[in-house]
Amino acid sequence: MKDPNRPNLLFLFSDQHARHVAGCYGNATVATPNLDRLAAEGLVFDNAYCPSPICVPSRMSMLTGCYPSQQDCWTNDDFLASDRATWLHAAAAADYRPILVGRLHAMGPDQMHGYAAREIGDHSPNWAGIKRHNLGVLANANDPYRASLTASGIGQSAYEVKDIDTTQAACAALDRFAGGADAFCLSVGFILPHPPYVARREDYARYATSVGLPRLPVPNDEHPWLAWWRRDRGIAEATDEECLRARRAYFGLVTRLDTMIGQILDKLEATGLARNTLVVYSSDHGDQLGERGLWWKHTFYEESAAVPLIMRWPGRLAAGERRKQIVNLTDVSATMLDALDAPALPNASGRSFLGVARNASASWDDQTFSEYCTDAVPAWTGGQSVRQRMIRQGRWKLVYYHGYAPQLFDLVADPDECRDRAADPAYAEIRAELTTHLLADWDPDEIERRMRRRRADKDLIGTWAQKTAPGDQYRWDMRANQNRLDPTLP
């Protein structure tokens, strides 16, 4: 017989949803009624961050509760080792059967990483070195290229089609769980609102007049690495028309994502499962959306590194409250395990904040990190390797750029991060203290050596994949004709 006190878990995980583009985070323009409803019935975390502002390392760190440098998984062509324990392994140890519907974005032969079953799968191949997925008329619009702005506006991307399939499969899974004897553990992986910045006509039209140009200009004292990044990626020449199209489409994609989440939440209610289900919503990182002349992720500004985080657990957590504590996706996995009464991951850095969720005054160390490291091989790097790390501690954020000066922001006095205090002698002591914490267990030179060693292995495996065509597991059937770009008219 099913234990009525044993909770279910529904983990909703999107891709590239900027925290500030949600009604429950104060955005009066975007329509996110379902996320807002979830927030009103649960808890909103105002200071949640990603472990890395790019997809694969952030997602793999969420699985393991470890930062990228702790598991040698830094960039989008890195494999997570199969013997690295994930929160799914721990959930299964507590007699749950973890199931994934939709996106995982893991590279290599292990496409489960602790999940017992998987549906829909990923749109992209499991292996580097082989032909990538075909976006047709939207080619390169999903990556950090100028094409993401030029090929933007009204239309359809295969990513949205995939999420429709994911939503339907998630609802069907909930129907099956409703008649089951065991508590469920279901993850639903969306790819929206990840670029291409292309939305269906009705979603775009909703924002055709209400979404304007970015609010924050390029700083007069722009950091030299960020200035190089804008020039190299071709976005320094972005036109107002391109920016408006991309931003309006992104808002439309967020609303479409919200609609799909609403369908899943409605199914959860209709099956009678909602009252004993912990629902967690978050995203792997944000999107700059043109603020400060920047697009996509790859930075540690709040638009990129901050993520939405909402939890609802009827009768177990308060409704309509907010938490100011600084948390990370590495902590989210630890918290979900705590809620399921599952064993903690033995080598994780992530900490359960379930006590904070239950009590706003519970003890918590307000400090977290995020990392961005890549070698110069991926085409979009512009031939420049990167080793960067952020620390957020209390009101302060320090960003370390290896080979460049750092940035230091006071997020209480300067929430828009417009006044870099790193070179100000009045802030020398706090800069030194944060730098010491940031570098205490993180050596950029050693990381470069480790990345170089891994690159030799990855290049050889890429050649092997070219020669042997190993095929993909859990691959969604994406077709070029699922992508279209329509004339952007009123």
Side-chain angles (χ1 to χ4, degrees), residues 93-142:
D95 292 327
Y96 284 89
R97 188 170 187 270
I99 296 174
L100 169 64
V101 176
R103 183 163 172 75
L104 179 62
H105 203 181
M107 296 297 294
D110 188 350
Q111 289 295 308
M112 299 298 275
H113 287 295
Y115 284 106
R118 187 173 176 193
E119 300 178 44
I120 301 299
D122 276 306
H123 67 287
S124 54
N126 303 163
W127 306 95
I130 62 176
K131 186 177 181 181
R132 313 310 292 165
H133 49 287
N134 187 352
L135 283 170
V137 296
L138 300 179
N140 289 328
N142 60 318

Side-chain angles (χ1 to χ4, degrees), residues 223-241:
H223 190 276
W225 185 83
L226 295 170
W228 170 84
W229 172 251
R230 285 196 313 110
R231 292 193 305 271
D232 184 78
R233 295 294 81 214
I235 52 177
E237 296 80 30
T239 67
D240 286 354
E241 181 185 2

